[in-house]
Amino acid sequence: MAQSWYNRLTNWNVESLFARAPPPRTKRSIFVNETLPNDYFDQKGRPKKDHVYITNQVVTSKYTIITFLPRNLLEQFRRVANVVFLVIDILQFFPRFSTISPGLVILPLIIVLGVTGVKDAYEDIKRHQGDRRVNHSETLVLDGGDWVNPNRMGKKSKTFVRGILSQAKKLTPKDRTQNAEEGAQETDMEYDTDNESHPRTPSGHSRHSWHSHKHHKPPHWKRALWEDIRVGDFVKIRNDENVPADILICATSEEENVAFVETKNLDGETNLKSRNAVASLTSLRNAPACARADGFNVDCEAPDVNMYRLNAAVVTKNGTYPVVLQNTLLRGTILRHTRWVIGIVMFTGEDTKITLNSGATPSKLSRVERQMNPQVFINLAILLIMSTVCGIVDSLIEQDKFPEGAPWLARDDRSDDNPKINGLITLINGLITFQNIIPISLYLSIEFVRTCQAAFIYFDHQIYYEKNGQPTLARSWNLSDDLGQIQYVFSDKTGTLTQNVMVFRACSVAGRLYKGDPERSTDTVEEKPLVQEKPATNIPSTSSNPSDSSQTTPDVLSVSKVELAEHVLAHFHDSSLEADIQRSAESDADQAFSRSLNGFFSVLALCHTVLATVDPVTHAVEYKAQSPDEAALVQAAADVGYVFRGKDREIMKLQTPFTDGVEEYELLNVLDFTSARKRMSIVVRKLGDEDGQHRVFLLSKGADNVIFERLRKDESQEFKTTTQRDLDEFASDGLRTLCLAYKVIPDSIYEEWATRYHNATIALHHREELVDEVSAELEQDLRLLGATAIEDKLQDGVPDTIADLKRAGIKVWVLTGDKLETAIAIGYSTNLVARDSNLIVVRGGEAGERYSVGEQMLEAVEQFFPDCGILETLAAKGFTEVRSEKQGERPNRRQSTAGWSDLVGTNNGERPGGFILVIDGTALGNALNDSFNKELLLQLALQCEAVICCRVSPLQKALVVKLVKEGLKTITLAIGDGANDVSMIQAADVGVGIRGEEGLQAVNSSDYAISQFRFLKRLLLVHGHWSYARNGTMIINFFYKNIICIGVLWWFQIYCAWSTQYVFEYTYVLFWNVFWTLCPVIAIGLFDRFIDADILMAIPELYRFGRERSWYSLRLFGIYMFDGFVQSVVVFFIINYAYRSVSARTDGYETYIYEASSAMAISAVTIANTFNGLNTHAWTGWVWFAVSIGTILIWAYTAIYTTISPGWIVTPVFGNYHFLFRSSLFWFSIVLVIFLALLPRYLAKAIRRQYWPTDIDILQEILESQLSSRAGSRLNSYPLQSLHNGGPLTEAASRSVTDMSLGGMQTSHRGFDFASEEGGVHMRRIQSNLSERRRRTMNSQGDGENTHSQGETGLRRALFPSLSRSVRRKMRLPTK
């Protein structure tokens, strides 16, 4: 019961008290050019709460002006010590218990609360500034004319900045009118009609002019702040602008009202997604049309966290039109390659999907701080026991001695002063006397030390990114010690591990390998001239939308150069390839190779969904692709002379080095890529053949195993073997591969197949399965052309960083929105997946399906971890599903997948590299929704070295972090760079944001901000290790030094009738935590260094001391407390015995109490400071100063304070110096006490270091022996390096994947990736055009819509047994 109560107390969140109750989220109807119905208002004419929408203001800060004081005080009073001191300080306001001025008594607590509050306020002001930058972004909103938005919005929140400014800048009505008139002339406005657009007026800002002048101007677009956008507003988004809210698309500038958006901030993917307008609203293409449109309303479902689903409908007088996610732009996305989009705001602020997937800013406490609370409770219990004992014994003594007429009990017979009540008063006085056992200055010291540690991180030049001039920034100063205890790292992929750019590295064509010219720099960005310049007059224009094209922008067929596509880092150059292409054009060339070479790059240039446009500034061809992969492939083809010149409806145009003109291909069918198919194909008819045959070709690209099993039976085995070898080489370098193939289709066969394909596309049931089946029929008997290799450019140092984190015993999980293949490929290239790892894939698994997620995971447990006790653990926790599953017989899944040609043997699970779990978003969602599956997932993940979660939403990222954090009670760290990572960053114990190119959403919500993923290594292994070791050691030494003081006071109670009197003069107690003993513990927190940074970076295994909580634990707390009590015994009883046995004075008089207590005080201070020094590992000048300054001060204070005459101030120790310093007993007792008190600790440290050294002790001895002056550079030559795991990736042939959704089948994997949008509107638009033509030719109806282990594999407790033996044998490092 007590434990449950304590857990509820410590887990209570302050934010839950101050969080505003969210407004009711119900279905809504947005009215456009219509008045609100009467039932939207109550009897008083006020709008009902259900129809008042949240503003578009988003606040990630914790405090406001009103809530700062109460919320911050509540957060600080979660520290038990603060509550105890508040009670004790209040007691001292009563004269009965007063020691000194009550104001001085409470001053330390006020200082602690004030300093901490200022720090918290500073941190939150930074959050407010970030919020302000977002909320004060601008976008174009419809204004003017007769247009009025009838939908009602709530009030905006006032924050620190906004609240202060609003009070300081209140304007009179006259001022507001004047400002409105002036602002109306400066506001950004844009007028447009059906045929023309007028330039904007000069830039300005005025929110006051919106309503006061809107009826005096025709409809136009006006710039407004994001926080002022309302539900129902028409907005106009321009190219490369961020979308301010969840918006319904009415019209776009592109053909067929298509828009392209980048959703990186939502799902982490950089490939473009296509969106299209609602068909019934496409006429709203300008401001007048929007303002004068016939009234309609948009019926929406309630705001939903599901990022991949949205249901709504547009209701007009002509009917109801469905709205799905494909018709919307979500907040957080960025408009790309689209001149403009006009839309209607559907959801704002906290109702947007990205905000619903983000949590409120949490109040985080470090593990050390959470561990301090039970230790403070222990000290509080000791305080209560000591005070209670004093109270009881004092009461008993008074009751015994009062009848005897004891002189000190004279007149103790009153109601408020008698032996019975005095026991209670003594108890309360005991709380005041012994209060230092709970050190209030500890919290202030911790805050100061952590602030300095944040500064150390800020000024560390090794984690300073010179490219953008950004240092590593600690945004939350109270989590530095958690950096040294991280056990799990959850990382986003895109922008965190990768740079979001692709490089075409190599290709294998007809058995010949082309790896590019090595002297070419991948960092060079240049424009590639076309092989042949074609004058515009010779080639007809193919502009798809002349009305949208600038008169000065040339046609795509007339330009003479190609610029790098977005997210493509460099052009591809290979001298030998260029020479082969030139030779292929000659008459005596190898015709077979020439055909293969031409076919390879023709497939590369045609089999895609890329758009070719002309940059209006550079007048160069620019490729706009849905994925960086496709852009890199088409770019590479253009670099060698195969230039894709765009598409006019179904006619694709290709320029090659072998023809003078442009080849034309009629696009007949697109067989779309899916995760199951792992390939994409197009069917084209070549036009303009010399023989007039117009042959039909199937062009395919896909994963190597999928393409190879579909090749012709008579394909050259030598060619296949060569290509396989090249693929292995590509994969071993961590490159992502594709195979290219083709075949010629006779017209009769194609016509027959086309009919079946058309019927499949219009089927009402099982359409996707039928389409895949018919597509597979055509994709047979292919001719292999070759393979490509693309590098998804990683950030610098990512593989080394992940490898070192794994060596440090930290488990790394990758949570990404990318597809499964992409995630696995990145796993290999980043060293997350080792060369000899086994992959367990869990995907899909909807409830009721044949292979549910639970069945897949149970199969994995039984197949790979039968002896790990997972099922027994689940059964012990009361999950009956385990017993029912074991009693029943699950289907034999291996039989269900017979016929797969990519089985690789039976040794999966026996490889030495361990297991990697890969799970997709669907399976993850099903697992998290069921308690049994959730626990099973956690237990299975514990047996794996790493976990990769793909296709996950932002909310799922946060749920995964919480699953591990709460299920295992471990310290977690989440790192990301986009808005889709905010919820994950907030859910983790430590959140790290990367300053990426896509905004500061992640940084604004993080605890630490870095510029490169590789900086995480030093942040954890060096700063984390140092901070945790320093803070932990400082805290236990802080408790220790106070125990000495309290122990001496306690032992004195034996001789003062347990009356809670001070043995010291009061100022010695008052200054104990201020002057005498504060500096050494502060020095430990700031300057102690257990091992140098270069050693920590070179040997990540040393990080285990933090993971195992070696520097701060209840055991260490008990040891140090025991040390303090023992030393207090030595100090008090030896000195007390010495001074009581014989007179310390030469005149023979009895000694005064303060003569002995002064010796006790000086001895105790010297012992405490020296003891802290013994626990310090790096004795710098500052440490020497800190250890000695307290001792020097107390000697000086004793000498000066005892000489102050009563004429200045009355003190009880005046003249003490006359007796104190002349007594030999004083000097001898101090030396003896210090020696005896410190001897046990010194001997214990020496014996342990000699006979049971830790790894750090061993390394320290090496460094101290002066043989490691070059340790940082020579460490790699020492035998320690034999422990280093990892290294470069080798042959991909050793990799093995077990896909549990396929019944536990083993498949080989080469890092294949195909990042394109499945079922996207761009692909559907192509399919739709082709389907229209089929309907015209076949006279049929339809549409073509296509849609790691708890028993870790970690390190041995003794990392370096051979080193230990070597040191004990006094072995020396080799010298040059």
Side-chain angles (χ1 to χ4, degrees), residues 1032-1326:
T1033 307
M1034 180 188 72
I1035 292 170
I1036 56 179
N1037 276 277
F1038 217 112
F1039 282 116
Y1040 149 80
K1041 72 181 184 64
N1042 280 23
I1043 283 297
I1044 295 183
C1045 176
I1046 299 304
V1048 173
L1049 295 178
W1050 166 254
W1051 301 126
F1052 178 66
Q1053 303 309 307
I1054 300 174
Y1055 301 91
C1056 69
W1058 304 91
S1059 58
T1060 69
Q1061 294 299 311
Y1062 292 99
V1063 65
F1064 303 134
E1065 196 274 332
Y1066 182 71
T1067 56
Y1068 284 92
V1069 178
L1070 186 65
F1071 296 150
W1072 182 269
N1073 284 322
V1074 180
F1075 299 117
W1076 311 150
T1077 60
L1078 181 63
C1079 289
V1081 290
I1082 294 293
I1084 291 175
L1086 294 181
F1087 306 115
D1088 196 13
R1089 189 170 62 252
F1090 290 79
I1091 203 74
D1092 290 340
D1094 54 349
I1095 306 298
L1096 292 173
M1097 293 288 284
I1099 310 178
E1101 289 86 352
L1102 295 176
Y1103 189 79
R1104 73 173 178 86
F1105 288 95
R1107 292 187 298 104
E1108 295 173 357
R1109 310 182 197 179
S1110 303
W1111 309 117
Y1112 187 69
S1113 64
L1114 194 59
R1115 182 183 67 86
L1116 284 175
F1117 170 77
I1119 292 173
Y1120 276 71
M1121 293 285 285
F1122 179 75
D1123 253 335
F1125 271 111
V1126 170
Q1127 292 173 11
S1128 70
V1129 169
V1130 174
V1131 170
F1132 179 81
F1133 286 102
I1134 290 180
I1135 294 178
N1136 182 65
Y1137 177 79
Y1139 272 84
R1140 290 175 63 89
S1141 298
V1142 296
S1143 176
R1145 298 187 182 183
T1146 57
D1147 57 9
Y1149 282 96
E1150 184 69 27
T1151 57
Y1152 186 42
I1153 183 176
Y1154 289 135
E1155 293 178 43
S1157 68
S1158 295
M1160 294 178 188
I1162 294 174
S1163 299
V1165 168
T1166 306
I1167 291 169
N1169 292 340
T1170 308
F1171 183 88
N1172 291 336
L1174 283 176
N1175 295 321
T1176 305
H1177 297 79
W1179 277 77
T1180 63
W1182 285 108
V1183 174
W1184 278 104
F1185 171 79
V1187 170
S1188 59
I1189 187 62
T1191 305
I1192 294 172
L1193 285 177
I1194 194 170
W1195 279 90
Y1197 178 80
T1198 301
I1200 297 172
Y1201 185 54
T1202 56
T1203 62
I1204 298 176
S1205 66
W1208 292 89
I1209 183 174
V1210 177
T1211 66
V1213 293
F1214 172 66
N1216 194 27
Y1217 70 95
H1218 180 75
F1219 305 101
L1220 196 64
F1221 299 120
R1222 296 182 180 183
S1223 172
S1224 60
L1225 187 60
F1226 168 76
W1227 299 100
F1228 180 75
S1229 63
I1230 288 179
V1231 173
L1232 179 64
V1233 163
I1234 293 174
F1235 174 77
L1236 293 178
L1238 295 177
L1239 183 62
R1241 165 62 59 161
Y1242 178 80
L1243 291 176
K1245 288 176 68 72
I1247 293 172
R1248 183 195 58 78
R1249 188 180 180 95
Q1250 180 68 22
Y1251 295 101
W1252 299 283
T1254 65
D1255 302 322
I1256 289 181
D1257 293 331
I1258 296 168
L1259 290 169
Q1260 286 172 347
E1261 187 163 340
I1262 294 174
L1263 296 173
E1264 291 167 2
S1265 65
Q1266 301 298 319
L1267 297 175
S1268 58
S1269 58
R1270 295 177 295 275
S1273 60
R1274 304 182 54 136
L1275 196 56
N1276 290 335
S1277 64
Y1278 200 70
L1280 304 182
Q1281 196 66 18
S1282 63
L1283 291 166
H1284 293 188
N1285 299 321
L1289 297 173
T1290 56
E1291 295 79 25
S1294 64
R1295 300 170 181 167
S1296 180
V1297 181
T1298 298
D1299 193 337
M1300 304 314 299
S1301 68
L1302 303 178
M1305 303 317 307
Q1306 300 171 6
T1307 64
S1308 59
H1309 183 77
R1310 276 200 182 85
F1312 152 76
D1313 174 61
F1314 199 122
S1316 66
E1317 181 188 8
E1318 298 182 27
V1321 68
H1322 185 60
M1323 182 66 69
R1324 286 162 43 202
R1325 182 180 60 174
I1326 296 175

Side-chain angles (χ1 to χ4, degrees), residues 705-706 708-710 897-904 1306-1308:
N705 61 323
V706 174
F708 270 69
E709 68 185 12
R710 287 165 174 77
T897 55
W900 279 71
S901 61
D902 49 6
L903 301 181
V904 296
Q1306 300 171 6
T1307 64
S1308 59

Side-chain angles (χ1 to χ4, degrees), residues 934-946:
K934 182 191 296 186
E935 185 65 26
L936 178 59
L937 171 64
L938 183 60
Q939 296 299 325
L940 177 60
L942 285 177
Q943 305 301 320
C944 299
E945 291 184 346

